[in-house]
Amino acid sequence: MKFGPASPADAIGGVTVHTLRQGSLVLKKGTTIGPAEVEALTRAGVKEIVVVRLEEGDVSEDVAAASIAKAVAGDGVNVERAFTGRANLFAAKAGVLVVDRAAVDRINGVDEAITFATLAAYKPVVEGEMVATVKLIPFGVEARLRDAAVKAASGGALRIAPYTIQRVGIVSTLLPGLAQKVVEKTLRVTAERLAPAGATIIAERRVPHDEAALAAAIKEVPGNLLLIGSAGGVPVLGAPGCARSPVENGFDWVLMRLLAGLKVTRTELTGMGVGGLLMEIVTRPQPREKLGTDGNRNVAAIILAAGRSTRMGGPNKLLAELGGKTLVRIVTEQALASKAQGVIVVTGHQAEQVEKALQGLKVKFVRNPDFAEGLASSVKAGVAAVPDNADGAVICLGDMPLISAHLIDRLIEAFAPDRGNLIAVPVSDGRRGNPVLWSRRFFNELMTLDGDIGARHLIAKHSEAVAEVAVEGHGAFLDIDTPQALAAAQRG
């Protein structure tokens, strides 16, 4: 190739190396100069333009990109017309992208002028999705280099393996304490995973966590750890606990390959280490985590008592009395009577009066200087004060006088990190109330809250980690926010 300036008339056949703007004329980079371009340049008063010319033995960037793209495209891959030295490749059908890594490396090793990039190997793709691109860096390349890259493709460097399995059977083994709603959610999440592949669940069985029962159910349908096997030629995939989460994880990688009819061997599994570090799944025990057992879980209690009681129209509702005691003292005494290991009271508005109302109680006071910013600031102040040895914290509202020590104890009993129960919530008729017990796993997220909004969205986000505690009555739902509510509670 030769670069250099030329008059418009002498530039015919050359390719512009820069975008040129002169008055109303815009001549883009990569434009081949012909008679029409010469006329436009002359009319615009352009005397000289820099162009590149191919020499004997060279091919243009578009010709080279198109040739290489055609060579790398295997089954199920379409090639778009090359433009400005780039040829994009697209999935012609839904499936799993299979990439010959060695071929990609060979192509990119031919010369720095030729680049080839793809999506991650074994990525599930949909029809029309861009899966790779060939890009020529200069405006042209020696034909011998183009030919070497075509040869390096070895008959196709990538293909789409279409989904071939459309019928799926699921067997759930039931451990003691596993709620049916957890199984139902797992089925919904799995159905959503299967949908892009056009596969559906046609059979479902629930059996005890027993080898004989599981074997019988597998035979009828044609865990905790990911396993792959076959029964009568039908692939059998043992779903790990992470399959309950809609977040992408290693289970997705194996499932989609199997749905595309791709064999997954031990070598393929052990080869998933590179790129295999995914977002932590909250229900999975952390490394070296000491799992709690009934009776020795270390859960702190946080009482939020910093609010301004704006809906009361003036008086501090926490200092209002019910049965001869202030609301905040009633809640705090119940927390102290529970199995919670230590009680933290967050104060702010009229802090001295609130702390005086709790005089004589063995609690730790934490003052929130930002109480006017809303509930979230008090949650963060309380969480920050939880001792390092605590496994979690139950967050109580200071204006809910019907919360009992018994309810707090039931939440603590439901808190079971070893079973994935990391958030405990009281529930009645499908409605979730307060207080809520949070595992330490969520403390960092709780510290990101802002404004006067609580953490309800986090409960929805981590629904697979929620243990619901059925309650009767309205104690978990009654908060004293208005003079009318206080009067009603005082009347009994």
Side-chain angles (χ1 to χ4, degrees), residues 299-307 341-348 363-371 374-397 436 438-440 442-449:
V299 175
I302 300 172
I303 311 294
L304 303 184
Q341 303 296 304
V343 176
I344 299 164
V345 179
V346 181
T347 61
V363 300
K364 176 182 179 180
F365 290 111
V366 175
R367 290 198 178 184
N368 172 22
D370 303 317
F371 66 89
L375 178 68
S377 64
S378 292
V379 171
K380 291 189 284 188
V383 168
V386 173
D388 291 340
N389 64 343
D391 301 313
V394 56
I395 301 180
C396 308
L397 303 180
V436 177
W438 297 87
S439 165
R440 177 174 287 278
F442 302 104
F443 282 10
N444 286 340
E445 287 188 79
L446 290 172
M447 293 298 288
T448 67
L449 297 178

Side-chain angles (χ1 to χ4, degrees), residues 140-386:
V141 69
E142 293 179 60
R144 66 178 182 83
L145 296 177
R146 183 273 314 268
D147 295 342
V150 169
K151 183 179 179 180
S154 302
L158 68 163
R159 65 185 177 89
I160 305 298
Y163 298 118
T164 57
I165 296 177
Q166 257 115 40
R167 299 186 301 168
V168 177
I170 292 185
V171 178
S172 302
T173 60
L174 306 178
L175 289 166
L178 180 65
Q180 289 295 319
K181 67 177 182 178
V182 174
V183 178
E184 296 291 346
K185 181 192 173 183
T186 303
L187 290 171
R188 291 195 302 272
V189 170
T190 304
E192 292 171 0
R193 278 195 166 96
L194 295 171
T200 56
I201 300 171
I202 63 167
E204 188 255 329
R205 301 288 184 274
R206 304 177 193 186
V207 299
H209 195 69
D210 172 78
E211 181 179 346
L214 176 59
I218 289 176
K219 288 181 179 179
E220 183 182 351
V221 167
N224 244 345
L225 298 177
L226 178 66
L227 59 92
I228 305 172
S230 64
V234 177
V236 176
L237 177 62
C242 62
R244 296 193 182 107
S245 172
V247 179
E248 181 187 13
N249 56 72
F251 176 67
D252 294 88
W253 299 355
V254 175
L255 174 65
M256 302 313 281
R257 294 193 200 186
L258 291 177
L259 292 175
L262 298 174
K263 189 174 182 180
V264 182
T265 66
R266 184 179 187 277
T267 301
E268 273 80 38
L269 286 176
T270 56
M272 290 180 181
V274 176
L277 180 62
L278 299 175
M279 292 293 291
E280 183 61 44
I281 297 171
V282 296
T283 54
R284 179 186 301 145
Q286 298 283 7
R288 297 179 297 280
E289 178 179 342
K290 295 180 180 179
L291 300 177
T293 57
D294 290 342
N296 69 353
R297 295 188 187 92
N298 189 344
V299 175
I302 300 172
I303 311 294
L304 303 184
R308 293 178 294 171
S309 304
T310 53
R311 293 176 62 188
M312 289 295 290
N316 188 337
K317 62 183 176 182
L318 299 179
L319 301 177
E321 291 192 357
L322 190 64
K325 292 184 179 180
T326 60
L327 299 185
V328 68
R329 190 175 184 95
I330 294 172
V331 175
T332 305
E333 286 181 347
Q334 290 300 311
L336 287 168
S338 74
K339 294 179 181 178
Q341 303 296 304
V343 176
I344 299 164
V345 179
V346 181
T347 61
H349 176 61
Q350 296 183 347
E352 293 82 1
Q353 294 95 311
V354 173
E355 291 170 9
K356 183 177 179 181
L358 300 177
Q359 190 173 5
L361 299 182
K362 190 177 180 180
V363 300
K364 176 182 179 180
F365 290 111
V366 175
R367 290 198 178 184
N368 172 22
D370 303 317
F371 66 89
E373 295 181 5
L375 178 68
S377 64
S378 292
V379 171
K380 291 189 284 188
V383 168
V386 173

